[in-house]
Amino acid sequence: MTADDRMIELALQGGGSHGALTWGVLDRLLQEPDLRIQGVSGTSAGAMNAVVLADGLEAGGPGAAREALARFWRAVSDAALASPIQRSVWDRLSGQWSLARSPGYVWFDQLSRLFSPYELNPLNLNPLRDLVARQVDFDRVNRCTAVDLFVTATNVRTGRPRIFRRGEISVDAVMASACLPLTFQAVEIDGEAYWDGGFTGNPALFPLVDECAARDLVLVQINPFYRPGLPRTSREIIDRINEITFNASLVKELRAILLLRDVIEASGQEDESWREMRLHRIHGDEDLAGLEPSSKLNAEWAYLCHLRDLGRARTDHWLKRHGADIGVRSTFDLSWLIEDSLKPAGALGSGCAARGDAWGADAGASAAAPADAAVPRRAAKTGGGARRAGRGRRE
């Protein structure tokens, strides 16, 4: 690392095989010679990408990490060849990636609504667990100092997030982060049961804010905030409920970051100014919104490569447009998040338009289509690079 290196933190969402888009994002970022990934928080498929990334970085740097990610996703695709859930003949002929008309998908979908995984899979067999264990050296992951790693799961009994950090990350932690409760039995770790981390942090942002030195947080989003169509079938309704649920915790944490920043600036707390975050987003909204949610279970190699290439293209576009903004200003306009929430300090009675200058936002920004234009930040206070000592864990 040199003094001229740009430092970022990555927040990786879960989303099944759509995580291959995140693979493409990471693959492109790892090609930037002066860009250092200082921290990664991941949930579900995002957690898998995160541990593979850390494993590769520890094994041999960015080049080895790119190779590890490619091997992992190829192994996922090879394992799916034996799955009874495959695209229908019609979908193959029409070039659709959906599994909604797959007899195997429909059958398992109906079974999961009638029987729990404890009834359908009493032996708790999980081929994905075996695949992750083969592909990832967790001793190496926990030795990795090149990147701070955080994996989120949801405690079934308390409903609170559990963050697994360096020294705690195992194949069980990753599987807990990806444990959809209607598909898999809860994963037990040290006597506690865990479900998918997406319920409480998709992904968790607070470890990146509290425990990492970089002040540029890049969200890699694969669950769209907005879908133009109205769901009408029971499957469409369930799928949209899941998307909204898995984005809810993210929206709350983004709101908290904005409000925290405003409180710090309004109160002049110099010792807290380091917690100001510059927020960025790399996403595939337009491409992913056109895919049916069932495609998250499609692991055909051609499809995964298609998503990888989308991720690379999106990242290349973002780097060209906003690479120079790293370390300078936010590029993810989030003013729409606080339009129907707690108002920032001093904003009561002034309306949304008055917040436009405070947040560098377009007063007419729509929650349906949040813009990614550069957002000038206020003049930074001193002490922005310091890390807090003796912080407590929030789990």
Side-chain angles (χ1 to χ4, degrees):
M1 179 178 174
T2 70
D4 294 328
D5 282 351
R6 297 171 295 168
M7 292 177 56
I8 62 172
E9 304 161 353
L10 296 177
L12 310 181
Q13 280 199 319
S17 62
H18 290 186
L21 186 141
T22 303
W23 164 30
V25 172
L26 296 174
D27 189 67
R28 179 63 186 87
L29 290 175
L30 288 166
Q31 290 182 299
E32 289 293 295
D34 66 337
L35 190 66
R36 182 191 169 198
I37 301 171
Q38 199 267 330
V40 182
S41 177
T43 294
S44 195
M48 296 180 193
N49 276 315
V51 296
V52 174
L53 171 69
D55 188 15
L57 288 173
E58 180 67 14
R66 294 181 64 201
E67 293 173 0
L69 286 163
R71 282 196 305 271
F72 173 77
W73 285 101
R74 183 75 214 207
V76 169
S77 179
D78 290 344
L81 292 174
S83 171
I85 302 177
Q86 303 289 341
R87 279 192 298 166
S88 68
V89 173
W90 168 253
D91 286 323
R92 292 178 185 274
L93 292 175
S94 59
Q96 301 294 317
W97 299 112
S98 170
L99 294 173
R101 286 164 290 277
S102 163
Y105 174 82
V106 173
W107 173 250
F108 279 104
D109 179 56
Q110 294 299 320
L111 281 179
S112 68
R113 301 191 198 189
L114 297 173
F115 302 99
S116 80
Y118 296 89
E119 297 168 313
L120 286 176
N121 186 11
L123 298 179
N124 200 21
L125 302 177
N126 189 344
L128 183 57
R129 184 188 190 280
D130 299 335
L131 185 152
V132 173
R134 287 194 304 270
Q135 291 293 317
V136 180
D137 183 335
F138 282 94
D139 289 335
R140 202 156 53 201
V141 169
N142 285 295
R143 290 197 309 268
C144 180
T145 58
V147 62
D148 292 326
L149 194 60
F150 309 97
V151 171
T152 305
T154 300
N155 187 304
V156 177
R157 294 183 176 89
T158 68
R160 298 175 63 187
R162 165 68 191 275
I163 309 300
F164 296 91
R165 296 166 170 84
R166 184 185 300 125
E168 304 174 318
I169 298 172
S170 64
V171 64
D172 285 331
V174 174
M175 298 319 297
S177 182
C179 180
L180 292 171
L182 293 180
T183 304
F184 303 110
Q185 295 184 25
V187 177
E188 294 197 12
I189 301 174
D190 298 331
E192 291 290 346
Y194 297 97
W195 281 340
D196 195 294
F199 294 112
T200 52
N202 192 24
L205 303 183
F206 67 82
L208 298 174
V209 175
D210 286 346
E211 302 180 36
C212 295
R215 296 295 85 197
D216 286 85
L217 191 159
V218 181
L219 168 65
V220 181
Q221 186 176 10
I222 57 176
N223 280 311
F225 285 131
Y226 174 74
R227 280 191 181 273
L230 178 67
R232 296 185 181 277
T233 69
S234 61
R235 181 71 262 172
E236 290 172 346
I237 292 170
I238 291 172
D239 288 334
R240 186 54 182 154
I241 289 172
N242 287 337
E243 282 186 333
I244 293 172
T245 300
F246 277 25
N247 273 332
S249 58
L250 171 65
V251 168
K252 288 182 179 180
E253 284 202 81
L254 289 171
R255 281 175 174 164
I257 289 174
L258 293 182
L259 294 172
L260 175 64
R261 183 175 68 183
D262 187 83
V263 169
I264 289 170
E265 292 189 355
S267 61
Q269 299 179 50
E270 298 290 339
D271 61 334
E272 291 285 351
S273 62
W274 65 272
R275 300 183 75 180
E276 293 187 28
M277 299 297 296
R278 292 179 290 271
L279 301 174
H280 313 274
R281 182 174 73 135
I282 301 174
H283 64 92
D285 284 0
E286 293 83 358
D287 301 300
L288 296 179
L291 296 172
E292 292 189 18
S294 65
S295 66
K296 293 179 181 180
L297 294 179
N298 186 345
E300 295 175 46
W301 182 240
Y303 181 50
L304 299 183
C305 289
H306 168 69
L307 292 170
R308 175 204 62 196
D309 293 343
L310 286 176
R312 281 187 57 86
R314 286 283 183 171
T315 307
D316 192 60
H317 173 75
W318 182 81
L319 286 169
K320 290 177 180 176
R321 185 178 181 188
H322 295 307
D325 294 318
I326 297 173
V328 179
R329 59 177 63 82
S330 291
T331 61
F332 185 15
D333 177 11
L334 288 173
S335 60
W336 57 277
L337 276 178
I338 50 176
E339 290 178 357
D340 299 310
S341 179
L342 293 172
K343 303 298 186 291
L348 289 176
S350 61
C352 180
R355 292 201 301 270
D357 180 67
W359 300 108
D362 176 3
S366 168
D372 284 346
V375 183
R377 66 189 284 265
R378 296 178 183 176
K381 298 182 176 65
T382 59
R387 290 181 66 174
R388 172 182 294 175
R391 64 179 65 85
R393 291 185 180 179
R394 288 180 279 172
E395 294 178 355

